Amino acid sequence: MLKQKTKTKFFRFLSLFWCGSMINSLIVLVGGAAVGRYGSHIKPSCLLNVPYMMFPLIFLLRQFRARATFIQQQIKGNRKPLRQKSFISHLLDIGFIVYMLFALIFAIFRILHVLKTPMMKNSFYYEYEPYILNESGFPLVQILIYAFYFIPYYYSAINVLIFNDQESTKFEWFPDWTMVHAGAAAQAQFSYLFSSLYNPPLVSDSTWSAIPSDNWLITVGLNSLLAIVPQFFAFRVCGGHRERDFY
């Protein structure tokens, strides 16, 4: 039954969204626990998280392998000729390109801070996002995920938005990865933002503090942007019949 459901567009994209969310959360959970200040307290029971990480990964790979069959079904079901993009669609694409550039630069900016590079030693941004200094390992791993996975996606998305009209069949993979990214971004920013709002009283940590009230609006706004815009972009790419632009 599950296999039949994932052959439909809605459930396929929903499952990819779920995979992105689960994989991101478990990488941060296991990786952060291993490299953080409490890594020496890890017990063998931590390995129980491995199956929860492997199942979404295996399911994701199976969905990617079934992409060709899914595309053929979509082509058969959508025989109407494609329309030229409207002026508003082009404006939206330009807006998303600007966002991707911003997200890419902002991710690099935060990577330099979380790695505590000498050039950022006296940076003002630590006052806006002190959670970066948390030694639990979770913010470090999350921002490194941005470095190794999100930044390549931003770069790829910019290329797709610019060159898709010229060679659309070259980007058949893009709707799938867009949904994976949307799920990962939603989960990442939800856990990252809410973790940075409060310093848990049960686990005292003098290395950081919650977001100051004076900087709350800017910090929450930036992190919310990184969570919300990928959802709109996923709808822009995969909603309705827009995915036909890539098949």
Side-chain angles (χ1 to χ4, degrees):
M1 180 179 177
L2 180 62
K3 184 177 180 180
Q4 291 296 324
K5 286 291 187 182
T6 53
K7 288 183 179 179
T8 63
K9 185 181 71 173
F10 174 78
F11 285 101
R12 175 183 172 82
F13 286 151
L14 183 63
S15 65
L16 292 173
F17 184 93
W18 173 79
C19 286
S21 174
M22 288 295 296
I23 292 172
N24 181 88
S25 65
L26 287 167
I27 291 176
V28 175
L29 176 64
V30 177
V35 304
R37 65 185 298 184
Y38 304 107
S40 59
H41 300 285
I42 291 180
K43 298 181 179 180
S45 59
C46 183
L47 295 176
L48 294 174
N49 290 291
V50 174
Y52 292 99
M53 183 183 298
M54 295 304 298
F55 178 76
L57 185 59
I58 294 172
F59 186 80
L60 181 65
L61 294 175
R62 291 188 63 180
Q63 289 295 89
F64 286 164
R65 289 178 181 176
R67 181 189 298 136
T69 303
F70 172 74
I71 291 174
Q72 291 300 322
Q73 292 176 348
Q74 293 300 302
I75 293 175
K76 291 179 181 178
N78 298 319
R79 297 183 179 276
K80 296 180 180 180
L82 294 177
R83 298 179 180 178
Q84 292 292 328
K85 286 185 179 179
S86 65
F87 178 71
I88 295 178
S89 296
H90 284 292
L91 285 180
L92 284 174
D93 288 347
I94 293 173
F96 284 124
I97 290 173
V98 172
Y99 164 77
M100 295 297 173
L101 286 171
F102 160 76
L104 192 153
I105 295 171
F106 187 56
I108 296 174
F109 180 73
R110 290 207 296 183
I111 291 164
L112 295 175
H113 282 79
V114 78
L115 295 178
K116 300 177 182 178
T117 57
M119 64 183 298
M120 298 297 178
K121 183 178 180 180
N122 298 318
S123 174
F124 69 93
Y125 192 70
Y126 288 120
E127 300 177 4
Y128 284 83
E129 201 166 322
Y131 183 57
I132 287 180
L133 298 172
N134 188 299
E135 295 182 356
S136 65
F138 299 118
L140 171 64
V141 174
Q142 182 60 75
I143 294 180
L144 288 179
I145 290 176
Y146 271 90
F148 292 106
Y149 297 100
F150 282 47
I151 287 179
Y153 174 81
Y154 296 147
Y155 175 77
S156 300
I158 293 171
N159 277 278
V160 171
L161 290 171
I162 294 175
F163 299 110
N164 180 55
D165 292 338
Q166 301 175 13
E167 39 187 352
S168 59
T169 56
K170 187 178 179 180
F171 305 112
E172 293 177 345
W173 52 269
F174 189 64
D176 288 355
W177 278 108
T178 296
M179 291 307 302
V180 174
H181 170 258
Q187 194 284 327
Q189 289 304 124
F190 177 83
S191 58
Y192 185 90
L193 179 59
F194 280 90
S195 296
S196 64
L197 292 177
Y198 303 100
N199 194 341
L202 298 180
V203 184
S204 59
D205 189 348
S206 60
T207 61
W208 73 288
S209 59
I211 300 174
S213 57
D214 295 341
N215 305 328
W216 191 89
L217 186 61
I218 295 176
T219 305
V220 172
L222 287 173
N223 282 278
S224 298
L225 195 69
L226 295 174
I228 295 172
V229 176
Q231 314 311 313
F232 285 110
F233 186 61
F235 180 78
R236 171 75 180 90
V237 173
C238 305
H241 297 292
R242 296 182 182 89
E243 81 285 349
R244 292 185 302 173
D245 296 340
F246 301 94
Y247 300 150

